[in-house]
Amino acid sequence: MHGRSVNHSPLVWPADARETAAPEALFDHPFPGSPQHKATGRDGGAALADRSATRQGVGTTPGTDAEAATALTVIVVSYNTQALTLRCLETLYATTAGADIEVIVVDNASSDGSADAIAARFPAVRLMALDRNVGFAAANNLAAEEARGSYILLLNPDTEVFDGAIANIMAFAEATPDAGIWGGRTVFPDGSLNIASCWNRITLRSGLFTALGLNQLFKRSSFFNAEKIGGWRRDTVRDVDIVVGCFLLIRHSLWRELGGFDLRYFMYGEDSDLCLRARRLGHRPMITPDATIMHLVGASTRQKADKVVMVAKAKATLVRDHWSPHLVPVGLFFLWLWCANRHVGSLCLSVLPGSAHRKRKEYWSSVWRRRRDWLGGYAG
């Protein structure tokens, strides 16, 4: 964790959050059942589950559609985030009382007693306690194999669910079926906007502007800061390229069609790849401001440099996977230039007094030393 504390005061909506009328009615009727999930090359696979998981309340063969179908399966993947995960589940259950949902938690071999605490506190959770950390993508794929919902909602453990968030995003999905993937609005514990609920894809222009630092100079510009959709406060309905996996709703049938997450993406980038593959099929991921949650961001990643390396590695893989082959070297050069500029800048600033400049130099030096690793992307 980054040392940030979570305020566990009663849930309140941010001042600018919207209200919608009675979407809870969605849960009053059964959704059509979904066929049993079939493993593909992108799934975690039953063999991985057998090797790694101790299943509590998770059957190896889901029942028939008539017996097992629910409206929504919520999947939470935890790793050494016991207190945060318990709070996430507490707010999830408190805001969905009576709703037609199931909750699956995959614990990635946490050493902080998360699995035992979850089992004791929330016996209704279908718990998969793994004996090794298989990563975010594989853990979600394992849970999705067992999911019985017509929709699947991926929810990070470092989130808190506000009243109406689940019902509203389900209502939005029913109203915009062509989107295929849906997301909401995220805020920090103090209610301020957390923009990391969605992004746009990396392009030649955005890659160049990021390398040159123009996205930071003009943060509120959608032209210079296109990937972060600068200037948009996530307060309107909008098509986006990428819905972030901290709060991502997807139709179960589309998840099966896509084969779930690509397992090469151990952590970070898997949601971008999933959404971009969905767009290739004609879907248009969308965001609604009426579904709001709190998200801390990065609670499972303790070192900032490590996170930057993992994100850079994911970006290099996304360039290879989703750019035209003749443009891939250009995209990788932009990533190299991005890091080189920041490394050189930190070296120059390090001559100034102050520990902040020294720490920044150490931070970017660490990322720069590992450039061959992250520029290589994930092995395919």
Side-chain angles (χ1 to χ4, degrees):
M1 291 178 58
H2 297 305
R4 300 179 62 177
S5 60
V6 183
N7 183 357
H8 293 331
S9 57
L11 291 174
V12 293
W13 281 92
D16 59 348
R18 303 180 178 185
E19 295 180 358
T20 52
E24 292 83 357
L26 269 176
F27 299 112
D28 292 338
H29 64 279
F31 281 76
S34 56
Q36 181 176 339
H37 183 60
K38 297 181 179 180
T40 72
R42 297 181 186 272
D43 289 335
L48 177 59
D50 292 341
R51 290 196 305 269
S52 301
T54 300
R55 303 181 175 197
Q56 301 182 30
V58 179
T60 55
T61 53
T64 64
D65 293 342
E67 295 171 343
T70 60
L72 173 67
T73 296
V74 181
I75 299 175
V76 179
V77 176
S78 68
Y79 178 65
N80 290 328
T81 53
Q82 180 187 137
L84 294 175
T85 304
L86 293 176
R87 179 59 178 166
C88 171
L89 294 173
E90 177 185 338
T91 60
L92 173 63
Y93 279 114
T95 57
T96 58
D100 181 19
I101 70 171
E102 68 169 347
V103 180
I104 301 176
V105 176
V106 184
D107 184 70
N108 256 331
S110 296
S111 58
D112 65 350
S114 289
D116 290 340
I118 293 166
R121 182 89 171 270
F122 298 100
V125 164
R126 303 176 69 198
L127 178 64
M128 302 176 71
L130 308 188
D131 58 19
R132 63 187 178 92
N133 185 356
V134 299
F136 182 79
N140 275 290
N141 283 2
L142 288 171
E145 288 183 20
E146 304 290 346
R148 298 178 296 203
S150 297
Y151 290 86
I152 293 174
L153 176 68
L154 309 185
L155 185 66
N156 266 28
D158 57 343
T159 61
E160 295 185 11
V161 181
F162 292 153
D163 285 328
I166 304 301
N168 288 354
I169 198 170
M170 289 289 286
F172 184 62
E174 286 288 287
T176 55
D178 291 342
I181 297 175
W182 304 265
R185 192 170 189 261
T186 53
V187 297
F188 290 112
D190 63 1
S192 61
L193 175 65
N194 175 352
I195 67 169
S197 62
C198 57
W199 311 114
N200 276 339
R201 71 180 72 201
I202 308 169
T203 64
L204 277 173
R205 186 184 72 196
S206 73
L208 175 61
F209 288 170
T210 299
L212 298 178
L214 295 176
N215 65 322
Q216 292 297 312
L217 287 175
F218 305 101
K219 290 183 179 181
R220 296 185 179 181
S221 167
S222 60
F223 180 77
F224 288 104
N225 196 16
E227 288 177 38
K228 294 183 178 179
I229 321 177
W232 178 45
R233 294 189 55 79
R234 279 57 172 172
D235 54 358
T236 57
V237 169
R238 182 167 177 162
D239 293 3
V240 296
D241 289 333
I242 297 158
V243 173
V244 175
C246 68
F247 188 46
L248 183 154
L249 180 70
I250 183 170
R251 196 178 297 276
H252 197 159
S253 58
L254 178 57
W255 178 274
R256 291 196 309 270
E257 184 177 0
L258 294 170
F261 283 142
D262 186 330
L263 294 185
R264 291 176 303 148
Y265 295 87
F266 182 82
M267 189 171 182
Y268 301 115
E270 66 290 310
D271 45 7
S272 299
D273 172 73
L274 184 82
C275 290
L276 293 176
R277 287 189 284 122
R279 290 187 71 89
R280 286 181 187 171
L281 298 178
H283 297 282
R284 326 176 267 110
M286 297 184 73
I287 292 292
T288 174
D290 297 331
T292 303
I293 66 168
M294 187 281 290
H295 184 206
L296 279 175
V297 183
S300 294
T301 309
R302 297 180 181 276
Q303 299 297 326
K304 188 177 180 182
D306 290 342
K307 178 178 178 178
V308 170
V309 167
M310 286 189 287
V311 171
K313 193 167 190 172
K315 285 191 172 187
T317 309
L318 288 168
V319 166
R320 284 185 166 88
D321 287 351
H322 296 282
W323 283 33
S324 298
H326 67 283
L327 292 177
V328 168
V330 180
L332 297 179
F333 170 72
F334 286 161
L335 287 173
W336 178 92
L337 184 61
W338 155 79
C339 187
N341 283 339
R342 281 148 185 80
H343 177 52
V344 171
S346 68
L347 291 176
C348 294
L349 290 174
S350 67
V351 302
L352 300 176
S355 61
H357 296 305
R358 185 178 66 256
K359 290 180 180 179
R360 184 172 179 82
K361 171 190 171 184
E362 294 172 355
Y363 162 56
W364 280 109
S365 293
S366 173
V367 177
W368 178 251
R369 284 194 302 269
R370 299 154 72 180
R371 64 190 180 280
R372 289 190 178 181
D373 175 43
W374 53 259
L375 278 171
Y378 291 108

